[in-house]
Amino acid sequence: MSEEYKREYVFGLDYGTSDFKFGPITLGEVPEVIENRGYFIDRSSLMSRIMGVNREIIVGKDIPKFLESREDLAERMVYPMRNGIIAKDDERAWKIIKELTKYALESFAPPDEEFEGFYVVASISVVSPRYMYEKLFEIFRELNREKILVKAATIIPQPLAVAIAQKTPTCTVVESGHGNTQICPISMYPVRNAVIALNRGGGAANALTMEILKDAGYGDLAKEESFVKLVKEEIGLIPRILDEAIRYARSNPEKVKVSLKIPGTRIRVVLDDMAWTRFLIGEFIFNPGHEIFQSYFTRGMPKPSDIKFGDTYFYGMMDMSEAVITSIEKCSIELQPHLYSRILLSGGNFSWNVPEGLEEVAVKADEKLKQLLLEKEIEGASISIVEDPKYSVWRGCMVYGYAVPHDYEWRWEKMEGWMDVA
Amino acid sequence: MEALRAAGYMFEGNGILGGSLKAEFRAASLSGDEVIILVKSAEPDDLRSLLSLLTRECWYVDVYYHLRGEGAQAAAKNLGMQLPENGVYRSRMRFSDVELRVEAYPRLAALTISYRAGWKEVNSGAVVKVHEKILGGGNRKSALNRLLGWIR
Ligand SMILES: Nc1ncnc2c1ncn2[C@@H]1O[C@H](COP(=O)(O)OP(=O)(O)OP(=O)(O)O)[C@@H](O)[C@H]1O
Ligand SMILES: [Mg+2]
């Protein structure tokens, strides 16, 4: 098997908590994206038998077509990676991961004889325990039994993939997706004992948006997550300093108010005298401990909780700058300044924009973090948002797969190289 | 890289700039004998100059186009091909004396078209013809990238 073959068939899989991004190297900049979820069909149901549905699990773009209008929908729809970690014995979750992986690879596997499988670079959370690596390799082997899809595979932690995509050997990666946030110092390799994981991401901002919508009289709509997410992304703002932003909103209501038409429906969401709440959405991502959120918690908004999964703590309420500092301070003192001087923000949860006219009070994620660090007396931190934060992990997979020679074998001690699974 | 610089291209981080051309070094093999350059946007003529330079410097240059949705449909129509309904589909076709490799991914409504370019394809102008055929003459942004041999 030659190097040339490998380069042509490098394939990336980014198992995000909410979105699964995948595709071969020939896609260029943007991978395919489907939701990281699967739907278990009730095969005993009369309807599914009449309609001749003989699959157990549906993943990908077909899901909406198979949703039965049933009460137990929530139970049948499984998001296997809600926390970035799958328990060893969570069979349903692993089944879905297998199905998603198959879907991704089959969508691109060429039919001809020449094809001997992809060189797969998979990326999972940096807190994933070793058995998740073993399990994924096992899945690739199992898939090959039906049809050759994977020639060799390697698995890298998501923050490392980001660092690779940016070609920065020494940095701190803050990867914030939907379900969680990983803070990971990197000095050639991830500094594993300095990793901090937060049990919150874009999903927590959805929960707050839901409350805001309820208060604004859109209680019915607030029940649908996809709708809430859309509203959040459109109207949410990150305040440079929350109190100032709220004051600004109160004295300049015309600048902050919004009216948002939901595409494909007749619904219009209008925030007028409640427009100041737009700033709460962005603040919550960085600093859910701000006293202003207390009233939402007392009224029943779920509070991001500390959880322990395997050996890893996921902090719920720790603010973002505290998390970055705690993580960096676990590294050697000599290394610390270098880690502050290159902080990379990646993941969809950092792709906030500043609308025209609000530059005075609203900021992007990098400036917000800089502000918070300043408040904690960390000066001179240099922070940047990576280009297309949602796709940077997948891009890193491409760069890595392209670079690692095809005959470099997987080593557990270093967690690098190609595992032969054919 | 030196050759690019000598020809007046500017570098900015991983970015490569020259005329209407915006491109980026995306990945390199460990031995440094191959790199991927991602072209983000370019007028056909600027693309041609880049390719002309690269084909002189490299053993080979593979050009890839990846298109989705409407772009994929339009390109398929321009090339006079029928997209299949299912499965992954691979074929070869000749256009302007260039052998194009076409891969269609119906499930994702996507299409990848690639070919190997040499000085012949650049000189005959086939490079520009293929580019316009695939992108429909317009200057639409596309995910277009290429792999190239480095040593010579
Ligand atoms: N333009 C935007 N503005 C604000 N938030 C956004 C924007 N685009 C995406 N998001 C949010 O980013 C989150 C998804 O990010 P991403 O795709 O990186 O997550 P993931 O990879 O599935 O999860 P994780 O990285 O936690 O495993 C969602 O909560 C989404 O609402
Ligand atoms: Mg992610």
mmCIF file of all heavy atoms in Angstrom, chain A residues 7-9 25-32 103 107-109 111-112 167 387 399 402-403, chain B residues 26-30 33-34 36 38 40 64 66 68 88 90 101 105 107-108 116 143 145:
data_model
loop_
_atom_site.group_PDB
_atom_site.id
_atom_site.type_symbol
_atom_site.label_atom_id
_atom_site.label_comp_id
_atom_site.label_asym_id
_atom_site.label_seq_id
_atom_site.Cartn_x
_atom_site.Cartn_y
_atom_site.Cartn_z
ATOM 1 N N ARG A 7 -2.780 9.232 0.677
ATOM 2 C CA ARG A 7 -3.105 10.655 0.572
ATOM 3 C C ARG A 7 -4.423 10.900 -0.131
ATOM 4 O O ARG A 7 -5.128 11.847 0.145
ATOM 5 C CB ARG A 7 -2.004 11.381 -0.183
ATOM 6 C CG ARG A 7 -0.825 11.630 0.716
ATOM 7 C CD ARG A 7 0.296 12.238 -0.065
ATOM 8 N NE ARG A 7 1.548 11.975 0.611
ATOM 9 C CZ ARG A 7 2.730 11.957 0.005
ATOM 10 N NH1 ARG A 7 2.821 12.193 -1.280
ATOM 11 N NH2 ARG A 7 3.805 11.715 0.699
ATOM 12 N N GLU A 8 -4.724 10.007 -1.048
ATOM 13 C CA GLU A 8 -5.974 10.188 -1.779
ATOM 14 C C GLU A 8 -7.189 9.794 -0.946
ATOM 15 O O GLU A 8 -8.286 10.250 -1.169
ATOM 16 C CB GLU A 8 -5.914 9.362 -3.050
ATOM 17 C CG GLU A 8 -7.018 9.699 -4.006
ATOM 18 C CD GLU A 8 -6.763 9.086 -5.367
ATOM 19 O OE1 GLU A 8 -5.590 8.747 -5.656
ATOM 20 O OE2 GLU A 8 -7.721 8.936 -6.110
ATOM 21 N N TYR A 9 -6.948 8.887 0.017
ATOM 22 C CA TYR A 9 -8.087 8.355 0.754
ATOM 23 C C TYR A 9 -8.111 8.723 2.235
ATOM 24 O O TYR A 9 -8.648 7.995 3.047
ATOM 25 C CB TYR A 9 -8.160 6.836 0.572
ATOM 26 C CG TYR A 9 -8.578 6.467 -0.833
ATOM 27 C CD1 TYR A 9 -7.681 5.899 -1.724
ATOM 28 C CD2 TYR A 9 -9.874 6.726 -1.268
ATOM 29 C CE1 TYR A 9 -8.065 5.574 -3.021
ATOM 30 C CE2 TYR A 9 -10.274 6.416 -2.553
ATOM 31 C CZ TYR A 9 -9.371 5.841 -3.429
ATOM 32 O OH TYR A 9 -9.758 5.536 -4.701
ATOM 33 N N ILE A 25 -10.660 13.886 2.096
ATOM 34 C CA ILE A 25 -9.794 15.042 1.916
ATOM 35 C C ILE A 25 -10.166 15.866 0.688
ATOM 36 O O ILE A 25 -9.941 17.067 0.642
ATOM 37 C CB ILE A 25 -8.332 14.542 1.855
ATOM 38 C CG1 ILE A 25 -7.360 15.690 2.015
ATOM 39 C CG2 ILE A 25 -8.060 13.753 0.584
ATOM 40 C CD1 ILE A 25 -5.993 15.239 2.462
ATOM 41 N N THR A 26 -10.782 15.221 -0.291
ATOM 42 C CA THR A 26 -11.106 15.937 -1.527
ATOM 43 C C THR A 26 -12.221 16.962 -1.361
ATOM 44 O O THR A 26 -12.532 17.696 -2.293
ATOM 45 C CB THR A 26 -11.508 14.939 -2.627
ATOM 46 O OG1 THR A 26 -12.444 14.030 -2.071
ATOM 47 C CG2 THR A 26 -10.319 14.174 -3.140
ATOM 48 N N LEU A 27 -12.836 17.017 -0.186
ATOM 49 C CA LEU A 27 -13.894 18.014 0.001
ATOM 50 C C LEU A 27 -13.352 19.428 0.122
ATOM 51 O O LEU A 27 -14.099 20.389 0.033
ATOM 52 C CB LEU A 27 -14.711 17.708 1.266
ATOM 53 C CG LEU A 27 -15.499 16.418 1.269
ATOM 54 C CD1 LEU A 27 -16.478 16.403 2.437
ATOM 55 C CD2 LEU A 27 -16.259 16.240 -0.027
ATOM 56 N N GLY A 28 -12.069 19.550 0.392
ATOM 57 C CA GLY A 28 -11.512 20.897 0.490
ATOM 58 C C GLY A 28 -11.747 21.512 1.849
ATOM 59 O O GLY A 28 -11.159 21.094 2.840
ATOM 60 N N GLU A 29 -12.627 22.500 1.912
ATOM 61 C CA GLU A 29 -12.738 23.280 3.140
ATOM 62 C C GLU A 29 -13.803 22.831 4.119
ATOM 63 O O GLU A 29 -13.676 23.028 5.313
ATOM 64 C CB GLU A 29 -13.081 24.733 2.765
ATOM 65 C CG GLU A 29 -11.957 25.499 2.198
ATOM 66 C CD GLU A 29 -12.292 26.975 2.210
ATOM 67 O OE1 GLU A 29 -13.035 27.424 1.330
ATOM 68 O OE2 GLU A 29 -11.824 27.651 3.127
ATOM 69 N N VAL A 30 -14.895 22.315 3.568
ATOM 70 C CA VAL A 30 -16.069 22.110 4.411
ATOM 71 C C VAL A 30 -16.535 20.654 4.389
ATOM 72 O O VAL A 30 -16.794 20.108 3.325
ATOM 73 C CB VAL A 30 -17.222 23.023 3.927
ATOM 74 C CG1 VAL A 30 -18.452 22.833 4.782
ATOM 75 C CG2 VAL A 30 -16.778 24.479 3.939
ATOM 76 N N PRO A 31 -16.626 20.036 5.549
ATOM 77 C CA PRO A 31 -17.081 18.648 5.591
ATOM 78 C C PRO A 31 -18.597 18.548 5.477
ATOM 79 O O PRO A 31 -19.300 19.557 5.540
ATOM 80 C CB PRO A 31 -16.651 18.205 6.992
ATOM 81 C CG PRO A 31 -16.727 19.446 7.812
ATOM 82 C CD PRO A 31 -16.336 20.569 6.886
ATOM 83 N N GLU A 32 -19.086 17.334 5.323
ATOM 84 C CA GLU A 32 -20.519 17.097 5.438
ATOM 85 C C GLU A 32 -20.874 17.107 6.922
ATOM 86 O O GLU A 32 -20.038 16.745 7.762
ATOM 87 C CB GLU A 32 -20.882 15.727 4.861
ATOM 88 C CG GLU A 32 -20.801 15.654 3.349
ATOM 89 C CD GLU A 32 -21.887 16.498 2.682
ATOM 90 O OE1 GLU A 32 -22.996 16.598 3.238
ATOM 91 O OE2 GLU A 32 -21.604 17.059 1.603
ATOM 92 N N TYR A 103 -22.615 5.228 7.780
ATOM 93 C CA TYR A 103 -23.270 6.192 6.888
ATOM 94 C C TYR A 103 -22.237 7.110 6.245
ATOM 95 O O TYR A 103 -22.228 7.339 5.046
ATOM 96 C CB TYR A 103 -24.272 7.002 7.713
ATOM 97 C CG TYR A 103 -25.041 8.077 6.952
ATOM 98 C CD1 TYR A 103 -26.311 7.819 6.441
ATOM 99 C CD2 TYR A 103 -24.510 9.352 6.775
ATOM 100 C CE1 TYR A 103 -27.019 8.795 5.762
ATOM 101 C CE2 TYR A 103 -25.214 10.337 6.092
ATOM 102 C CZ TYR A 103 -26.469 10.055 5.592
ATOM 103 O OH TYR A 103 -27.160 11.031 4.920
ATOM 104 N N SER A 107 -21.154 6.802 2.244
ATOM 105 C CA SER A 107 -21.527 7.911 1.365
ATOM 106 C C SER A 107 -20.407 8.253 0.396
ATOM 107 O O SER A 107 -20.638 8.873 -0.626
ATOM 108 C CB SER A 107 -21.847 9.167 2.168
ATOM 109 O OG SER A 107 -22.931 8.938 3.014
ATOM 110 N N PHE A 108 -19.188 7.879 0.741
ATOM 111 C CA PHE A 108 -18.061 8.270 -0.104
ATOM 112 C C PHE A 108 -17.247 7.101 -0.659
ATOM 113 O O PHE A 108 -16.336 7.323 -1.452
ATOM 114 C CB PHE A 108 -17.121 9.194 0.676
ATOM 115 C CG PHE A 108 -17.656 10.582 0.865
ATOM 116 C CD1 PHE A 108 -18.226 10.973 2.060
ATOM 117 C CD2 PHE A 108 -17.619 11.495 -0.185
ATOM 118 C CE1 PHE A 108 -18.737 12.264 2.229
ATOM 119 C CE2 PHE A 108 -18.126 12.777 -0.022
ATOM 120 C CZ PHE A 108 -18.684 13.163 1.186
ATOM 121 N N ALA A 109 -17.540 5.888 -0.197
ATOM 122 C CA ALA A 109 -16.697 4.763 -0.619
ATOM 123 C C ALA A 109 -16.914 4.464 -2.093
ATOM 124 O O ALA A 109 -18.024 4.162 -2.507
ATOM 125 C CB ALA A 109 -17.023 3.534 0.222
ATOM 126 N N PRO A 111 -16.989 2.470 -5.610
ATOM 127 C CA PRO A 111 -17.397 1.093 -5.846
ATOM 128 C C PRO A 111 -16.312 0.208 -6.469
ATOM 129 O O PRO A 111 -16.449 -0.994 -6.495
ATOM 130 C CB PRO A 111 -18.575 1.246 -6.819
ATOM 131 C CG PRO A 111 -18.288 2.525 -7.549
ATOM 132 C CD PRO A 111 -17.529 3.408 -6.609
ATOM 133 N N ASP A 112 -15.241 0.801 -6.961
ATOM 134 C CA ASP A 112 -14.344 -0.022 -7.775
ATOM 135 C C ASP A 112 -13.351 -0.873 -7.003
ATOM 136 O O ASP A 112 -13.133 -0.696 -5.807
ATOM 137 C CB ASP A 112 -13.619 0.830 -8.819
ATOM 138 C CG ASP A 112 -13.077 2.095 -8.194
ATOM 139 O OD1 ASP A 112 -13.894 2.855 -7.640
ATOM 140 O OD2 ASP A 112 -11.862 2.310 -8.221
ATOM 141 N N LYS A 167 -1.487 24.621 12.861
ATOM 142 C CA LYS A 167 -0.032 24.426 12.877
ATOM 143 C C LYS A 167 0.634 25.164 14.030
ATOM 144 O O LYS A 167 1.605 25.891 13.850
ATOM 145 C CB LYS A 167 0.578 24.889 11.550
ATOM 146 C CG LYS A 167 0.003 24.156 10.362
ATOM 147 C CD LYS A 167 1.016 24.068 9.232
ATOM 148 C CE LYS A 167 0.519 23.231 8.076
ATOM 149 N NZ LYS A 167 -0.699 23.711 7.446
ATOM 150 N N GLU A 387 -10.469 30.111 12.113
ATOM 151 C CA GLU A 387 -11.346 30.341 10.971
ATOM 152 C C GLU A 387 -12.364 29.189 10.896
ATOM 153 O O GLU A 387 -12.002 28.029 11.087
ATOM 154 C CB GLU A 387 -10.463 30.353 9.714
ATOM 155 C CG GLU A 387 -11.131 30.846 8.474
ATOM 156 C CD GLU A 387 -10.242 30.594 7.264
ATOM 157 O OE1 GLU A 387 -9.015 30.497 7.442
ATOM 158 O OE2 GLU A 387 -10.775 30.473 6.179
ATOM 159 N N VAL A 399 -5.192 17.372 7.885
ATOM 160 C CA VAL A 399 -3.777 17.728 7.902
ATOM 161 C C VAL A 399 -2.957 16.589 8.529
ATOM 162 O O VAL A 399 -1.903 16.203 8.037
ATOM 163 C CB VAL A 399 -3.558 19.034 8.696
ATOM 164 C CG1 VAL A 399 -2.078 19.363 8.804
ATOM 165 C CG2 VAL A 399 -4.308 20.185 8.046
ATOM 166 N N TYR A 402 -2.893 13.385 6.335
ATOM 167 C CA TYR A 402 -2.064 13.622 5.159
ATOM 168 C C TYR A 402 -0.589 13.514 5.515
ATOM 169 O O TYR A 402 0.224 13.026 4.743
ATOM 170 C CB TYR A 402 -2.375 15.018 4.628
ATOM 171 C CG TYR A 402 -1.855 15.295 3.243
ATOM 172 C CD1 TYR A 402 -2.456 14.713 2.138
ATOM 173 C CD2 TYR A 402 -0.785 16.153 3.041
ATOM 174 C CE1 TYR A 402 -1.995 14.967 0.865
ATOM 175 C CE2 TYR A 402 -0.313 16.420 1.769
ATOM 176 C CZ TYR A 402 -0.920 15.824 0.680
ATOM 177 O OH TYR A 402 -0.460 16.076 -0.572
ATOM 178 N N ALA A 403 -0.268 13.955 6.727
ATOM 179 C CA ALA A 403 1.141 14.003 7.120
ATOM 180 C C ALA A 403 1.674 12.670 7.643
ATOM 181 O O ALA A 403 2.789 12.280 7.328
ATOM 182 C CB ALA A 403 1.340 15.087 8.179
ATOM 183 N N ARG B 26 -2.636 24.082 2.891
ATOM 184 C CA ARG B 26 -3.488 23.398 3.841
ATOM 185 C C ARG B 26 -2.757 22.289 4.582
ATOM 186 O O ARG B 26 -2.804 22.193 5.795
ATOM 187 C CB ARG B 26 -4.721 22.863 3.096
ATOM 188 C CG ARG B 26 -5.703 22.091 3.905
ATOM 189 C CD ARG B 26 -6.029 22.748 5.236
ATOM 190 N NE ARG B 26 -6.593 24.061 5.195
ATOM 191 C CZ ARG B 26 -7.861 24.344 4.985
ATOM 192 N NH1 ARG B 26 -8.714 23.392 4.744
ATOM 193 N NH2 ARG B 26 -8.284 25.577 4.996
ATOM 194 N N ALA B 27 -2.048 21.453 3.842
ATOM 195 C CA ALA B 27 -1.393 20.335 4.497
ATOM 196 C C ALA B 27 -0.160 19.954 3.724
ATOM 197 O O ALA B 27 -0.041 20.273 2.551
ATOM 198 C CB ALA B 27 -2.353 19.147 4.573
ATOM 199 N N ALA B 28 0.748 19.280 4.417
ATOM 200 C CA ALA B 28 1.951 18.817 3.742
ATOM 201 C C ALA B 28 2.294 17.433 4.249
ATOM 202 O O ALA B 28 1.977 17.082 5.380
ATOM 203 C CB ALA B 28 3.111 19.768 4.035
ATOM 204 N N SER B 29 2.920 16.654 3.399
ATOM 205 C CA SER B 29 3.362 15.344 3.848
ATOM 206 C C SER B 29 4.599 15.550 4.728
ATOM 207 O O SER B 29 5.279 16.566 4.620
ATOM 208 C CB SER B 29 3.689 14.457 2.659
ATOM 209 O OG SER B 29 4.705 15.059 1.893
ATOM 210 N N LEU B 30 4.853 14.585 5.586
ATOM 211 C CA LEU B 30 5.965 14.738 6.530
ATOM 212 C C LEU B 30 7.290 14.937 5.823
ATOM 213 O O LEU B 30 8.120 15.732 6.231
ATOM 214 C CB LEU B 30 6.068 13.496 7.418
ATOM 215 C CG LEU B 30 5.411 13.552 8.788
ATOM 216 C CD1 LEU B 30 5.993 12.477 9.670
ATOM 217 C CD2 LEU B 30 5.536 14.923 9.435
ATOM 218 N N ASP B 33 7.430 16.358 0.469
ATOM 219 C CA ASP B 33 7.463 16.242 -0.980
ATOM 220 C C ASP B 33 6.111 16.528 -1.612
ATOM 221 O O ASP B 33 5.990 16.576 -2.831
ATOM 222 C CB ASP B 33 7.981 14.872 -1.414
ATOM 223 C CG ASP B 33 7.089 13.747 -0.902
ATOM 224 O OD1 ASP B 33 6.218 14.020 -0.059
ATOM 225 O OD2 ASP B 33 7.269 12.600 -1.345
ATOM 226 N N GLU B 34 5.089 16.712 -0.785
ATOM 227 C CA GLU B 34 3.769 16.999 -1.344
ATOM 228 C C GLU B 34 3.032 17.981 -0.469
ATOM 229 O O GLU B 34 3.145 17.937 0.757
ATOM 230 C CB GLU B 34 2.941 15.715 -1.426
ATOM 231 C CG GLU B 34 2.709 15.244 -2.828
ATOM 232 C CD GLU B 34 1.619 14.180 -2.894
ATOM 233 O OE1 GLU B 34 0.557 14.352 -2.290
ATOM 234 O OE2 GLU B 34 1.866 13.177 -3.553
ATOM 235 N N ILE B 36 -0.808 20.368 -0.112
ATOM 236 C CA ILE B 36 -2.129 20.690 -0.624
ATOM 237 C C ILE B 36 -2.267 22.206 -0.580
ATOM 238 O O ILE B 36 -2.024 22.828 0.447
ATOM 239 C CB ILE B 36 -3.238 20.095 0.252
ATOM 240 C CG1 ILE B 36 -3.186 18.587 0.184
ATOM 241 C CG2 ILE B 36 -4.601 20.599 -0.198
ATOM 242 C CD1 ILE B 36 -4.296 17.933 0.978
ATOM 243 N N LEU B 38 -5.091 25.110 -1.180
ATOM 244 C CA LEU B 38 -6.514 25.284 -1.333
ATOM 245 C C LEU B 38 -6.754 26.641 -1.973
ATOM 246 O O LEU B 38 -6.323 27.650 -1.431
ATOM 247 C CB LEU B 38 -7.140 25.247 0.048
ATOM 248 C CG LEU B 38 -8.622 25.041 0.065
ATOM 249 C CD1 LEU B 38 -8.881 23.558 0.151
ATOM 250 C CD2 LEU B 38 -9.213 25.723 1.259
ATOM 251 N N LYS B 40 -9.087 29.526 -2.744
ATOM 252 C CA LYS B 40 -10.387 29.970 -2.241
ATOM 253 C C LYS B 40 -11.136 30.754 -3.287
ATOM 254 O O LYS B 40 -12.343 30.659 -3.408
ATOM 255 C CB LYS B 40 -10.198 30.811 -0.986
ATOM 256 C CG LYS B 40 -9.550 29.997 0.092
ATOM 257 C CD LYS B 40 -9.628 30.686 1.412
ATOM 258 C CE LYS B 40 -9.434 29.656 2.500
ATOM 259 N NZ LYS B 40 -9.478 30.260 3.816
ATOM 260 N N TYR B 64 -8.471 19.471 -8.029
ATOM 261 C CA TYR B 64 -9.754 18.924 -7.578
ATOM 262 C C TYR B 64 -10.795 20.022 -7.481
ATOM 263 O O TYR B 64 -10.513 21.119 -6.998
ATOM 264 C CB TYR B 64 -9.627 18.323 -6.167
ATOM 265 C CG TYR B 64 -8.920 17.009 -6.117
ATOM 266 C CD1 TYR B 64 -7.539 16.947 -6.155
ATOM 267 C CD2 TYR B 64 -9.646 15.826 -6.022
ATOM 268 C CE1 TYR B 64 -6.884 15.734 -6.101
ATOM 269 C CE2 TYR B 64 -8.996 14.603 -5.961
ATOM 270 C CZ TYR B 64 -7.619 14.558 -6.008
ATOM 271 O OH TYR B 64 -6.980 13.357 -5.942
ATOM 272 N N HIS B 66 -14.647 20.376 -5.815
ATOM 273 C CA HIS B 66 -15.740 19.706 -5.114
ATOM 274 C C HIS B 66 -16.954 20.620 -5.100
ATOM 275 O O HIS B 66 -16.869 21.765 -4.694
ATOM 276 C CB HIS B 66 -15.353 19.327 -3.691
ATOM 277 C CG HIS B 66 -16.434 18.561 -3.002
ATOM 278 N ND1 HIS B 66 -16.704 17.251 -3.313
ATOM 279 C CD2 HIS B 66 -17.347 18.933 -2.091
ATOM 280 C CE1 HIS B 66 -17.736 16.843 -2.599
ATOM 281 N NE2 HIS B 66 -18.149 17.845 -1.842
ATOM 282 N N ARG B 68 -21.315 21.105 -4.470
ATOM 283 C CA ARG B 68 -22.486 20.585 -3.774
ATOM 284 C C ARG B 68 -23.761 21.170 -4.324
ATOM 285 O O ARG B 68 -23.744 22.246 -4.919
ATOM 286 C CB ARG B 68 -22.433 20.954 -2.294
ATOM 287 C CG ARG B 68 -21.285 20.328 -1.629
ATOM 288 C CD ARG B 68 -21.089 20.881 -0.244
ATOM 289 N NE ARG B 68 -19.705 20.596 0.100
ATOM 290 C CZ ARG B 68 -19.310 20.094 1.248
ATOM 291 N NH1 ARG B 68 -20.155 19.883 2.198
ATOM 292 N NH2 ARG B 68 -18.045 19.829 1.437
ATOM 293 N N VAL B 88 -22.203 5.278 -4.812
ATOM 294 C CA VAL B 88 -21.161 6.219 -5.196
ATOM 295 C C VAL B 88 -20.760 5.841 -6.606
ATOM 296 O O VAL B 88 -20.685 4.669 -6.949
ATOM 297 C CB VAL B 88 -19.947 6.117 -4.252
ATOM 298 C CG1 VAL B 88 -18.815 7.008 -4.747
ATOM 299 C CG2 VAL B 88 -20.356 6.524 -2.851
ATOM 300 N N ARG B 90 -18.304 6.462 -10.082
ATOM 301 C CA ARG B 90 -17.021 6.937 -10.543
ATOM 302 C C ARG B 90 -16.917 6.782 -12.033
ATOM 303 O O ARG B 90 -17.270 5.739 -12.571
ATOM 304 C CB ARG B 90 -15.947 6.048 -9.943
ATOM 305 C CG ARG B 90 -14.945 6.810 -9.176
ATOM 306 C CD ARG B 90 -13.901 5.868 -8.675
ATOM 307 N NE ARG B 90 -13.224 6.546 -7.591
ATOM 308 C CZ ARG B 90 -12.124 6.098 -7.025
ATOM 309 N NH1 ARG B 90 -11.588 4.963 -7.432
ATOM 310 N NH2 ARG B 90 -11.579 6.775 -6.061
ATOM 311 N N ARG B 101 -11.589 12.896 -13.969
ATOM 312 C CA ARG B 101 -12.141 11.830 -13.161
ATOM 313 C C ARG B 101 -13.319 12.419 -12.407
ATOM 314 O O ARG B 101 -13.191 13.442 -11.742
ATOM 315 C CB ARG B 101 -11.092 11.333 -12.183
ATOM 316 C CG ARG B 101 -11.464 9.999 -11.584
ATOM 317 C CD ARG B 101 -10.302 9.420 -10.861
ATOM 318 N NE ARG B 101 -10.343 9.916 -9.486
ATOM 319 C CZ ARG B 101 -9.500 9.510 -8.558
ATOM 320 N NH1 ARG B 101 -8.551 8.646 -8.849
ATOM 321 N NH2 ARG B 101 -9.585 9.975 -7.333
ATOM 322 N N TYR B 105 -21.587 11.648 -5.525
ATOM 323 C CA TYR B 105 -22.102 11.142 -4.254
ATOM 324 C C TYR B 105 -23.559 11.545 -4.132
ATOM 325 O O TYR B 105 -23.880 12.549 -3.495
ATOM 326 C CB TYR B 105 -21.298 11.719 -3.090
ATOM 327 C CG TYR B 105 -19.805 11.601 -3.273
ATOM 328 C CD1 TYR B 105 -19.029 12.713 -3.591
ATOM 329 C CD2 TYR B 105 -19.180 10.361 -3.154
ATOM 330 C CE1 TYR B 105 -17.660 12.597 -3.770
ATOM 331 C CE2 TYR B 105 -17.815 10.238 -3.338
ATOM 332 C CZ TYR B 105 -17.054 11.365 -3.641
ATOM 333 O OH TYR B 105 -15.713 11.254 -3.818
ATOM 334 N N ARG B 107 -26.151 10.604 -2.504
ATOM 335 C CA ARG B 107 -26.795 10.751 -1.202
ATOM 336 C C ARG B 107 -26.566 12.148 -0.650
ATOM 337 O O ARG B 107 -27.364 12.707 0.077
ATOM 338 C CB ARG B 107 -26.192 9.721 -0.261
ATOM 339 C CG ARG B 107 -26.960 9.529 1.028
ATOM 340 C CD ARG B 107 -26.101 8.776 1.990
ATOM 341 N NE ARG B 107 -26.499 7.374 2.094
ATOM 342 C CZ ARG B 107 -25.811 6.486 2.825
ATOM 343 N NH1 ARG B 107 -24.730 6.843 3.459
ATOM 344 N NH2 ARG B 107 -26.218 5.242 2.914
ATOM 345 N N LEU B 108 -25.433 12.745 -1.001
ATOM 346 C CA LEU B 108 -25.091 14.055 -0.463
ATOM 347 C C LEU B 108 -25.233 15.141 -1.524
ATOM 348 O O LEU B 108 -24.878 16.288 -1.293
ATOM 349 C CB LEU B 108 -23.647 14.040 0.051
ATOM 350 C CG LEU B 108 -23.325 12.891 1.005
ATOM 351 C CD1 LEU B 108 -21.836 12.729 1.172
ATOM 352 C CD2 LEU B 108 -23.980 13.145 2.353
ATOM 353 N N ARG B 116 -5.204 15.503 -13.644
ATOM 354 C CA ARG B 116 -3.791 15.797 -13.437
ATOM 355 C C ARG B 116 -3.353 16.819 -14.479
ATOM 356 O O ARG B 116 -3.583 16.633 -15.665
ATOM 357 C CB ARG B 116 -2.978 14.518 -13.555
ATOM 358 C CG ARG B 116 -1.500 14.757 -13.338
ATOM 359 C CD ARG B 116 -0.811 13.510 -12.868
ATOM 360 N NE ARG B 116 -1.217 13.172 -11.494
ATOM 361 C CZ ARG B 116 -0.593 12.255 -10.761
ATOM 362 N NH1 ARG B 116 0.431 11.593 -11.255
ATOM 363 N NH2 ARG B 116 -0.995 12.010 -9.543
ATOM 364 N N ALA B 143 -14.948 25.042 -3.633
ATOM 365 C CA ALA B 143 -13.908 24.349 -2.899
ATOM 366 C C ALA B 143 -13.055 23.681 -3.948
ATOM 367 O O ALA B 143 -13.446 22.722 -4.568
ATOM 368 C CB ALA B 143 -14.522 23.325 -1.980
ATOM 369 N N ASN B 145 -9.165 22.414 -4.725
ATOM 370 C CA ASN B 145 -7.844 22.295 -4.132
ATOM 371 C C ASN B 145 -6.975 21.420 -4.995
ATOM 372 O O ASN B 145 -7.432 20.809 -5.936
ATOM 373 C CB ASN B 145 -7.915 21.764 -2.709
ATOM 374 C CG ASN B 145 -8.585 20.433 -2.666
ATOM 375 O OD1 ASN B 145 -8.555 19.688 -3.621
ATOM 376 N ND2 ASN B 145 -9.203 20.133 -1.555
#
